[in-house]
Amino acid sequence: MIQVKPLVIGDLVAKVPLIQGGMGVGVSLSSLAGAVAAEGGIGVISTAQIGYREPDFDTDPIGANLRAIKTEIQKARRIAKEGILGVNIMVATRRYEDYVKAAVEAGIDLIISGAGLPMDLPKLVGAAKTKLAPIVSSVKSVQVIMRYWWKKYSRLPDAVVIEGPLAGGHLGFLKEQLEDIEGLHYDDEVRAIIEQVGATAAEHETDIPVIMAGGVYTRDDMEHYLEMGAAGVQMATRFVTTYECDADDAYKQTYIDAEKEDIVIVQSPVGMPGRAILNPFMKRAKEGRIPHGKCHLCVSTCTPDKTPYCITDALVNAAKGKTEDALLFCGANAYRATKLEHVKDIMDEFRP
């Protein structure tokens, strides 16, 4: 049996080598992230439209989101006390720089950033103690980031998150690749990324832990990747069906009710393939454009007057429990959920 060790990212030490993946909109906020951090993992707040419950969200979405970043981090800190907290900020987010700066000012421990390559993240964070972890899906992308960061900022990532093809939400793969996941032989790519990151770290006499995400659901999954050389795992889907998850119970119930064949690859209106539960809303979206109101300035890849539906509206509906009119993002293993669990029980399964 493989020895499970704490996850060390610079001066941050997570007793359980498990990061809770960031889930927007409103799925992983202070309640879930705080609970995971309090149990020795790394709790992650998603900044995607984080201010959707603010009274001025419809009129000033950016302002509402930036304000909510601080509020949610503070609330999670009260839950987690000395725990480790991170935020997930998508590179494609409009005004990305402001979201990063707001998280740093609020004293966040770790920024995890994907949905694009976070090329200038070190510049935005500056001399702050905040640790940086880009999300990658290929050797090429991690090479590009590490070379650029070192050349331009004399900095390397503090950790690297690999997001595989079984993850939920938007995915960094072509639709054709997702139709033949076995044919990707993705474990080979994972080994190559770990090797590349390890070589770069050794060259600079430092340590850069690699964390595997996408399809992690049990301790066996974690141990599989630890044996391959990962320092830890990131898991999101399983945390949705917890009492502490910030989403409405009706959203959690869609996971519990889902069968394997209900989980499909969809084309997101912002131009990327994603994984979600097939529901009446997605069927309507396939048939034609769903009218929407004012743009909520979510991501730069969206063209409001051409989008088939508003992804913010669809994801806010999910978080609020209006599941018939929602985009129900999920990981490939969502169908395995059969009941609600407490975060503590899940964390106990993954402890060293």
Side-chain angles (χ1 to χ4, degrees), residues 1-4 219-220 223 227:
M1 184 182 290
I2 189 164
Q3 184 182 4
V4 178
R219 186 186 179 99
D220 285 345
E223 291 185 357
E227 285 177 339

Side-chain angles (χ1 to χ4, degrees), residues 100-138:
V100 170
K101 290 173 183 176
V104 171
E105 286 171 12
I108 201 66
D109 300 312
L110 172 69
I111 293 175
I112 298 171
S113 195
L117 299 183
M119 302 306 284
D120 294 317
L121 187 54
K123 177 178 74 175
L124 301 175
V125 171
K129 288 177 62 178
T130 305
K131 304 295 187 287
L132 308 181
I135 298 174
V136 303
S137 294
S138 67

Side-chain angles (χ1 to χ4, degrees), residues 168-200:
H170 291 122
L171 301 166
F173 297 85
L174 299 173
K175 196 168 187 290
E176 299 73 45
Q177 293 176 308
L178 296 169
E179 288 167 355
D180 181 22
I181 289 174
E182 285 189 15
L184 282 174
H185 302 292
Y186 197 68
D187 274 5
D188 293 340
E189 189 74 13
V190 173
R191 290 187 184 93
I193 294 170
I194 291 171
E195 185 178 333
Q196 177 66 61
V197 173
T200 301

Side-chain angles (χ1 to χ4, degrees), residues 18-185:
L18 174 63
I19 298 176
Q20 161 253 312
M23 295 173 282
V25 170
V27 180
S28 66
L29 298 177
S30 55
S31 175
L32 177 56
V36 172
E39 290 296 332
I42 299 179
V44 177
I45 294 167
S46 168
T47 66
Q49 303 295 54
I50 188 173
Y52 79 97
R53 294 179 294 196
E54 295 289 307
D56 60 343
F57 179 68
D58 287 337
T59 55
D60 181 19
I62 301 287
N65 288 336
L66 295 177
R67 195 163 59 247
I69 287 172
K70 181 178 180 180
T71 303
E72 290 296 325
I73 291 172
Q74 288 176 336
K75 284 162 67 177
R77 283 267 180 242
R78 288 196 289 271
I79 297 168
K81 303 295 189 290
E82 302 301 315
I84 302 171
L85 292 172
V87 288
N88 182 296
I89 309 177
M90 296 185 296
V91 176
T93 302
R94 292 178 194 257
R95 304 256 305 261
Y96 172 74
E97 301 86 352
D98 293 326
Y99 285 67
V100 170
K101 290 173 183 176
V104 171
E105 286 171 12
I108 201 66
D109 300 312
L110 172 69
I111 293 175
I112 298 171
S113 195
L117 299 183
M119 302 306 284
D120 294 317
L121 187 54
K123 177 178 74 175
L124 301 175
V125 171
K129 288 177 62 178
T130 305
K131 304 295 187 287
L132 308 181
I135 298 174
V136 303
S137 294
S138 67
V139 172
K140 183 178 179 182
S141 55
V142 79
Q143 286 174 331
V144 167
I145 290 168
M146 291 193 299
R147 286 173 184 165
Y148 186 85
W149 281 18
W150 185 255
K151 183 178 179 181
K152 190 153 188 184
Y153 303 114
S154 299
R155 180 162 184 176
L156 292 170
D158 299 290
V160 170
V161 176
I162 304 173
E163 188 172 86
L166 299 176
H170 291 122
L171 301 166
F173 297 85
L174 299 173
K175 196 168 187 290
E176 299 73 45
Q177 293 176 308
L178 296 169
E179 288 167 355
D180 181 22
I181 289 174
E182 285 189 15
L184 282 174
H185 302 292

